[in-house]
Amino acid sequence: MSNHWYEVKEIEGEEVIFIPCDYQNTEFIIEDTNGENKFTEVTGQDGWENTLEEIVAIDDKTTKVTVTRPDDVQITFIVTEISSYLSNWTWEEKDYDGSVVEYSINMVPEEFKDKFKVVEEPPCM
């Protein structure tokens, strides 16, 4: 599994790495920091460092990534390979009102990032 992932969105029928005016694009970074496995979620200029609990292959196209956030909430990402350079990440987490929300985003590993055009909006006014 790659160590750095970038969100891919479809805009006008084309899959691109989209950087909106507020830079709220998503990145996932998996790394070993001082002997501890970390999973960092980056959304724009904000980042959350989580503890990477495990990465388990379910089958040849699906991987389970389990992390524990600083508030002790455990999240399990199901990573499904769409192609050799694109995967879908889905997960569930509680919303502010306590309801469960399912998220699903397509991600490209860093080594294939150049297969996608980067689309940047001008800075927000």
Side-chain angles (χ1 to χ4, degrees), residues 7 9 14-15 28-29 31 42 51 54 58 61-62 70-71 86 94 99 101 103 106 115:
E7 182 176 9
K9 293 187 177 198
E14 181 179 12
E15 291 181 322
F28 293 150
I29 303 166
E31 59 191 338
V42 179
T51 301
E54 66 178 358
I58 295 172
K61 298 275 186 197
T62 310
D71 59 2
L86 190 65
K94 286 189 178 180
S99 63
V101 178
Y103 296 91
N106 288 342
K115 288 191 170 288

Side-chain angles (χ1 to χ4, degrees), residues 30-48:
I30 299 169
E31 59 191 338
D32 180 358
T33 306
N34 299 325
E36 292 187 39
N37 292 320
K38 298 292 180 193
F39 181 93
T40 305
E41 297 174 72
V42 179
T43 302
Q45 297 176 1
D46 298 321
W48 298 269

Side-chain angles (χ1 to χ4, degrees), residues 42-125:
V42 179
T43 302
Q45 297 176 1
D46 298 321
W48 298 269
E49 191 173 89
N50 307 293
T51 301
L52 177 63
E53 301 295 343
E54 66 178 358
I55 298 175
V56 176
I58 295 172
D59 58 38
D60 61 338
K61 298 275 186 197
T62 310
T63 303
K64 180 174 79 169
V65 178
T66 304
V67 304
T68 301
R69 293 192 170 153
D71 59 2
D72 289 329
V73 172
Q74 197 166 74
I75 302 292
T76 299
F77 298 90
I78 302 299
V79 183
T80 306
E81 184 180 299
I82 297 170
S83 71
S84 61
Y85 55 86
L86 190 65
S87 293
N88 178 264
W89 291 61
T90 58
W91 70 99
E92 293 180 345
E93 57 184 276
K94 286 189 178 180
D95 204 354
Y96 297 107
D97 65 3
S99 63
V100 175
V101 178
E102 182 173 293
Y103 296 91
S104 177
I105 60 176
N106 288 342
M107 304 287 279
V108 60
E110 184 170 41
E111 56 267 26
F112 294 107
K113 183 180 176 186
D114 61 354
K115 288 191 170 288
F116 295 89
K117 180 168 77 174
V118 176
V119 175
E120 288 189 59
E121 286 184 332
C124 297
M125 297 295 175

